[in-house]
Amino acid sequence: MANLAEPDAATNRLWAGWSRLRAQVERMTRRTDGEDLLHDAYVSMAGLATAPRNDEAFLVHAAVNRGRDAFRREAVRGSCEPVEAIDWLRDPAPIQDEVMIAKARLARVREGIDRLTPRTREIFPDAAARRV
């Protein structure tokens, strides 16, 4: 397995031409996620017992195949943004900590209003009516 912590000359050459490889994959797949496809292909190549003869060709070929697989998967399942997929799970209510903090702040405001002089308290005409 390749040691990714200490890049060798072949790895340095790959990184130097990475943007060219990404552009090639995006042209061949007509997808905008060429970077992700290339990265997945690189991770699988790094896990090989023996390095391929032509690592650039291997990466491009593997990335294009992954792009085709993703296209087929999206055709069957449909493409969906992850955020949209879980929107229905989002609870619009505040979390319990926020509720407790808001109640504590409200109690402090009420204490402060109660300490005001009656004349100053007239600025808050409905303060007594708003108490919950």
Side-chain angles (χ1 to χ4, degrees):
M1 184 190 289
N3 184 356
L4 299 180
E6 299 174 12
D8 58 356
T11 304
N12 287 335
R13 186 173 40 79
L14 281 177
W15 288 120
W18 191 261
S19 60
R20 180 181 49 80
L21 294 174
R22 181 183 47 79
Q24 183 178 358
V25 168
E26 288 178 353
R27 264 194 324 273
M28 293 175 74
T29 60
R30 294 190 178 110
R31 296 177 61 90
T32 59
D33 59 348
E35 181 82 26
D36 294 332
L37 297 171
L38 261 179
H39 179 262
D40 289 345
Y42 180 78
V43 169
S44 68
M45 182 180 79
L48 295 176
T50 59
R53 285 185 306 176
N54 185 343
D55 50 2
E56 288 184 5
F58 177 88
L59 281 177
V60 170
H61 187 75
V64 168
N65 284 344
R66 289 173 193 279
R68 288 180 183 144
D69 292 343
F71 175 78
R72 290 183 189 124
R73 188 172 37 256
E74 290 167 0
V76 172
R77 297 181 189 161
S79 64
C80 181
E81 292 296 319
V83 174
E84 293 173 5
I86 62 169
D87 271 347
W88 60 274
L89 290 175
R90 185 169 296 138
D91 186 6
I95 59 175
Q96 192 63 33
D97 293 348
E98 292 172 345
V99 172
M100 291 172 54
I101 291 169
K103 285 182 179 181
R105 284 183 183 164
L106 184 58
R108 289 182 66 195
V109 169
R110 286 182 181 153
E111 289 173 11
I113 291 174
D114 289 343
R115 283 191 230 152
L116 296 173
T117 62
R119 177 76 179 135
T120 307
R121 226 180 285 151
E122 290 177 8
I123 296 172
F124 304 101
D126 297 327
R130 289 185 196 161
R131 289 194 162 216
V132 179

